[in-house]
Amino acid sequence: MGSGLLKIEALLRAFALGILLLGAILVALDSETEAIIYTIKKTATFKDMDALIALVCVDAAAAAYNLLQLSRYIVHTQIKIKSIESYLKLAWTNFLLDQVITYVQFATNSAALEASTLAITGARSLQWMKVCNRFTRFCVQIGSALLCGYVASLLMILLSLISAFNLFRFYCPKQFFLLKGR
Amino acid sequence: MGSGLLKIEALLRAFALGILLLGAILVALDSETEAIIYTIKKTATFKDMDALIALVCVDAAAAAYNLLQLSRYIVHTQIKIKSIESYLKLAWTNFLLDQVITYVQFATNSAALEASTLAITGARSLQWMKVCNRFTRFCVQIGSALLCGYVASLLMILLSLISAFNLFRFYCPKQFFLLKGR
């Protein structure tokens, strides 16, 4: 496998790892206390909304996955994989894991965006009131975390395409699912 | 290109097309009228929630895209593509379009699922009340549409992987982004 592509992959994973961690921390540490009526105060945290709890968990899990993959690159540069069979086993594993984690992270981020949009706009027909006009700073921080999430999604989509490339280019262009001789 | 894979692709697209249309129709035609207080009645439709409007639009667009792709298969069986360059141009276009549409459809479905979950559970800390205990039949129909959406997502993920396979297997396994001679 080209070591140039391996370097690009490692760099993208490191970026994704950093941005995912930043996103998870931004949501998890977000908290704002406001007075509701006279002395009654209310604190907004990410635990008020299931979608934000899921976002923290999924972002953290995706970051851990990228860290594991990064450690694989370090091992990869030291030992050479001998047979094409063992290379393909690894390539299939990476390919499937990348696909699952990328789709799950993207979907969770989109669900959190939907819940946050409802918190900004409210839903008049359902009598759900706006929340963000009161907890403005809290909502801005969640917004930044969602932006981080989408940047990480883009990086992970790119990574999952690279791992698909690394797998499929070993197959024959003329016949279905036949390995090429090296 | 193997005609066996082409047939599988066409079949998957036809299934995806049908299920996407079913999902869009289930949401768009869903409507339930309930008495709120005495004679005051309220009708729930998909227009009450932005996420459901987006779901109908995206499902319909994805169905139209799959219809276009299906018509391409019919043309494909009649004319032969001569050069590898024109094949690759087509393969890159399919690959990119499939990726974009699959991710957008999956994300929209997940956003609609999040909004619907909020309608079922409410959010006590935000004082958002439950809606589905009143409009039960409406919510069950939306739930079925979301299930259709996820089945369609799975089919489209499979299709986008097939189009990645059809593209990347033309590249050389040893050097980065070098075409193989046929």
Side-chain angles (χ1 to χ4, degrees):
Chain A
M1 196 162 80
S3 72
L5 190 56
L6 209 64
K7 268 181 203 152
I8 296 173
E9 258 190 274
L11 208 69
L12 285 175
R13 292 230 186 254
F15 265 118
L17 170 62
I19 293 172
L20 283 167
L21 271 186
L22 180 64
I25 290 170
L26 275 177
V27 176
L29 298 186
D30 199 2
S31 156
E32 188 177 1
T33 305
E34 288 288 329
I36 304 292
I37 316 160
Y38 301 112
T39 54
I40 299 168
K41 283 185 177 178
K42 198 178 172 315
T43 303
T45 68
F46 74 102
K47 285 176 188 156
D48 292 336
M49 213 178 236
D50 291 340
L52 294 181
I53 299 175
L55 185 65
V56 172
C57 296
V58 169
D59 273 3
Y65 168 74
N66 278 311
L67 190 65
L68 271 177
Q69 284 279 6
L70 267 178
S71 65
R72 185 178 66 81
Y73 294 124
I74 295 163
V75 177
H76 205 93
T77 50
Q78 284 165 356
I79 46 164
K80 286 252 170 205
I81 291 170
K82 281 157 203 159
S83 70
I84 188 160
E85 280 75 25
S86 62
Y87 173 82
L88 277 180
K89 241 181 234 169
L90 191 69
W92 270 105
T93 315
N94 287 338
F95 165 72
L96 291 175
L97 283 176
D98 270 348
Q99 290 290 332
V100 170
I101 293 191
T102 306
Y103 276 106
V104 169
Q105 198 267 340
F106 191 64
T108 313
N109 215 44
S110 301
L113 177 69
E114 166 61 24
S116 307
T117 309
L118 280 172
I120 296 174
T121 61
R124 185 188 291 258
S125 51
L126 309 182
Q127 288 177 289
W128 288 355
M129 56 181 186
K130 296 176 189 182
V131 183
C132 282
N133 49 355
R134 197 163 268 165
F135 297 95
T136 312
R137 202 198 51 68
F138 179 83
C139 286
V140 169
Q141 191 164 330
I142 295 289
S144 328
L146 288 173
L147 192 67
C148 285
Y150 276 116
V151 173
S153 288
L154 272 180
L155 291 172
M156 288 180 65
I157 289 173
L158 214 58
L159 279 162
S160 73
L161 294 184
I162 291 175
S163 67
F165 176 73
N166 281 335
L167 173 65
F168 292 145
R169 60 179 172 162
F170 278 88
Y171 289 90
C172 178
K174 279 189 184 159
Q175 271 181 294
F176 181 51
F177 261 76
L178 195 78
L179 278 174
K180 325 175 171 95
R182 292 237 281 187
Chain B
M1 196 163 83
S3 72
L5 190 57
L6 208 64
K7 268 181 204 152
I8 297 172
E9 260 190 272
L11 209 69
L12 285 176
R13 291 230 185 254
F15 265 119
L17 170 62
I19 293 171
L20 283 167
L21 271 186
L22 179 65
I25 290 170
L26 274 177
V27 176
L29 297 186
D30 199 2
S31 154
E32 188 178 0
T33 306
E34 289 288 329
I36 303 293
I37 316 161
Y38 301 110
T39 54
I40 299 168
K41 284 184 178 178
K42 200 180 170 316
T43 303
T45 68
F46 74 101
K47 285 177 188 153
D48 291 336
M49 214 178 236
D50 290 339
L52 295 181
I53 299 175
L55 185 65
V56 172
C57 296
V58 169
D59 274 3
Y65 169 74
N66 278 312
L67 189 66
L68 270 177
Q69 283 279 8
L70 268 177
S71 65
R72 185 178 66 80
Y73 294 124
I74 295 163
V75 176
H76 206 92
T77 51
Q78 285 165 355
I79 46 165
K80 287 249 171 208
I81 291 170
K82 280 158 205 162
S83 70
I84 187 161
E85 280 74 26
S86 63
Y87 173 82
L88 277 179
K89 241 180 234 169
L90 191 69
W92 269 105
T93 314
N94 286 340
F95 166 71
L96 292 175
L97 283 176
D98 270 348
Q99 289 291 331
V100 170
I101 293 191
T102 306
Y103 276 105
V104 169
Q105 197 267 341
F106 191 64
T108 312
N109 215 45
S110 302
L113 177 69
E114 165 63 22
S116 307
T117 309
L118 280 172
I120 296 174
T121 63
R124 186 186 289 259
S125 51
L126 308 182
Q127 289 177 289
W128 288 354
M129 56 182 188
K130 295 175 190 183
V131 183
C132 282
N133 49 356
R134 196 163 271 161
F135 297 95
T136 312
R137 202 199 49 68
F138 179 83
C139 286
V140 170
Q141 191 165 331
I142 295 290
S144 328
L146 288 173
L147 192 67
C148 285
Y150 276 115
V151 173
S153 288
L154 273 180
L155 290 172
M156 288 179 66
I157 289 172
L158 215 59
L159 279 163
S160 74
L161 295 184
I162 291 176
S163 68
F165 176 73
N166 282 335
L167 173 65
F168 292 145
R169 62 179 171 164
F170 278 89
Y171 288 90
C172 178
K174 278 186 183 162
Q175 271 181 292
F176 180 51
F177 262 75
L178 196 76
L179 277 175
K180 326 177 172 97
R182 292 238 281 190

